[in-house]
């Protein structure tokens, strides 16, 4: 378990360890994001741009920009010392067995922590398709790339998650049921299906055995009133022995703490 994150969680809930930068799909420069975190009263702020990938993607940073990102973080850590504790992270995409948080490239990067996430699902022919983003785009991809087979997409998404957890190389499991947002837009009630619940239980069991943190991602709460994982699953994760970290997945400074207070309150009640 990442000792840096563990120490933060023991001391405070005024943190956010999932945020994005102009090197990926962030909407503001680094200092503006950090200033936003300070204005929200956070004492610890982690930066986690979407990792480089070896497939075309408009949302991921390039391999060439990684060095610049790391150097900028060094400068900002010194500049903001005493005002906020900055952590250098990265949200790393798991694509397939030869590309994910576990490979040597990412293991060698001088990062304070890593988030492991799944955004891409392979088709039956092996083509990786982004299943994140808008429900409208997902519906088109479901029709054109997956022949409308929603259950296949959902099951492969969770299969990707389990393989990523087994492969290791990261500290925080990012938004573990993110597929539910788009899947439920296509098939309302899918999260009530027994087979879907069994997939969630597998993720909770694998995560607990791997001694990683499970992210409660609050990004969608202000607009859609939901978390990832959905709050209905939090007790299951807790009973399996998982430890939570609450992150806002901020792409703009005004969303640095969005939804976190509500999630922390609900966790306290749980």
């Amino acid at each position: 378990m990442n000792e840096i994150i563990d120490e933060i969680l023991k001391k405070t809930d005024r943190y956010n360890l999932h945020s994005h930068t102009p090197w990926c799909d962030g909407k503001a420069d680094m200092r503006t994001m950090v200033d936003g975190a300070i204005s929200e009263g956070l004492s610890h702020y982690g930066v986690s741009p979407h990792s480089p990938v070896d497939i075309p993607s408009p949302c991921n940073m390039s391999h060439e920009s990684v060095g610049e990102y790391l150097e900028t973080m060094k400068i900002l850590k010194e500049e903001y010392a005493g005002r906020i504790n900055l952590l250098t992270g990265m949200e790393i995409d798991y694509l397939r067995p030869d590309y994910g948080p576990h490979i040597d490239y990412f293991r060698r990067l001088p990062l304070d922590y890593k988030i492991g996430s799944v955004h891409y699902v392979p088709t039956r022919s092996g083509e990786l398709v982004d299943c994140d983003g808008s429900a409208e785009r997902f519906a088109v991809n479901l029709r054109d790339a997956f022949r409308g087979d929603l259950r296949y997409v959902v099951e492969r998404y969770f299969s990707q998650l389990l393989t990523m957890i087994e492969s290791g190389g990261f500290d925080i499991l990012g938004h573990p049921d993110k597929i539910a947002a788009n899947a439920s837009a296509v098939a309302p009630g899918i999260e009530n299906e027994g087979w879907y619940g069994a997939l969630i239980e597998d993720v909770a069991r694998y995560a607990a055995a791997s001694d990683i943190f499970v992210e409660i991602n609050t990004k969608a709460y202000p607009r859609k009133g939901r978390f990832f994982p959905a709050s209905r699953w939090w007790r299951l994760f807790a009973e399996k022995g998982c430890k939570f970290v609450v992150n806002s997945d901020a792409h703009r400074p005004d969303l640095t703490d969005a939804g976190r207070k509500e999630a922390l309150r609900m966790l306290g009640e749980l």
Side-chain angles (χ1 to χ4, degrees):
M1 182 167 285
N2 187 299
E3 294 180 0
I4 297 174
I5 298 174
D6 197 41
E7 284 301 310
I8 291 172
L9 296 180
K10 288 176 181 177
K11 295 176 181 178
T12 183
D13 61 13
R14 302 310 297 144
Y15 65 84
N16 178 42
L17 304 179
H18 192 159
S19 65
H20 292 283
T21 74
W23 284 291
C24 57
D25 58 350
K27 308 303 181 186
D29 64 80
M30 295 280 283
R31 283 182 176 79
T32 300
M33 294 295 288
V34 175
D35 289 340
I38 293 172
S39 69
E40 291 287 354
L42 298 187
S43 54
H44 303 273
Y45 184 65
V47 182
S48 54
H50 288 290
S51 70
V53 291
D54 63 354
I55 57 177
S57 169
C59 297
N60 292 72
M61 68 191 310
S62 67
H63 281 93
E64 293 74 21
S65 63
V66 171
E68 184 181 358
Y69 161 63
L70 295 174
E71 187 59 33
T72 299
M73 285 302 297
K74 286 183 183 179
I75 295 170
L76 292 179
K77 283 183 175 184
E78 293 180 6
E79 181 179 329
Y80 283 89
R83 300 174 62 194
I84 192 168
N85 177 38
L86 296 180
L87 292 92
T88 305
M90 186 173 287
E91 183 179 13
I92 304 173
D93 272 289
Y94 180 84
L95 301 181
R96 51 184 185 273
D98 66 348
Y99 204 97
H102 61 288
I103 66 173
D104 287 344
Y105 172 78
F106 293 116
R107 287 184 181 273
R108 289 196 298 265
L109 292 178
L111 300 169
D112 294 317
Y113 68 95
K114 301 165 192 168
I115 301 173
S117 295
V118 171
H119 300 97
Y120 293 87
V121 174
T123 65
R124 295 186 186 278
S125 63
E127 177 191 1
L128 287 163
V129 177
D130 186 358
C131 288
D132 199 18
S134 71
E136 293 76 15
R137 187 179 69 173
F138 177 80
V140 171
N141 287 339
L142 177 65
R143 180 196 67 204
D144 295 345
F146 298 102
R147 300 180 182 178
D149 192 342
L150 181 62
R151 181 158 177 172
Y152 169 85
V153 174
V154 172
E155 289 180 338
R156 283 308 305 266
Y157 171 87
F158 283 108
S159 176
Q160 292 277 87
L161 270 183
L162 297 183
T163 304
M164 179 179 72
I165 295 170
E166 284 187 313
S167 301
F170 64 98
D171 308 293
I172 300 172
L173 178 61
H175 46 59
D177 69 345
K178 187 71 182 296
I179 193 69
N182 285 331
S184 61
V186 174
I190 191 172
E191 294 168 272
N192 298 324
E193 299 287 344
W195 63 268
Y196 184 92
L199 294 172
I200 293 287
E201 186 168 2
D202 283 342
V203 174
R205 181 164 50 85
Y206 274 56
S210 299
D211 203 27
I212 54 179
F213 295 93
V214 174
E215 176 184 75
I216 294 178
N217 187 300
T218 67
K219 177 182 177 181
Y221 187 80
R223 292 183 297 109
K224 299 182 179 179
R226 70 169 297 157
F227 303 105
F228 303 108
S231 56
R232 66 190 295 177
W233 308 118
W234 295 359
R235 185 175 297 278
L236 170 64
F237 278 91
E239 289 175 347
K240 295 293 183 184
C242 296
K243 196 167 186 177
F244 295 113
V245 58
V246 180
N247 292 326
S248 73
D249 196 352
H251 290 64
R252 304 195 325 248
D254 57 308
L255 298 177
T256 297
D257 205 32
R260 292 190 67 260
K261 291 182 178 68
E262 291 82 358
L264 289 164
R265 175 184 56 78
M266 291 169 64
L267 270 181
E269 294 172 355
L270 177 67

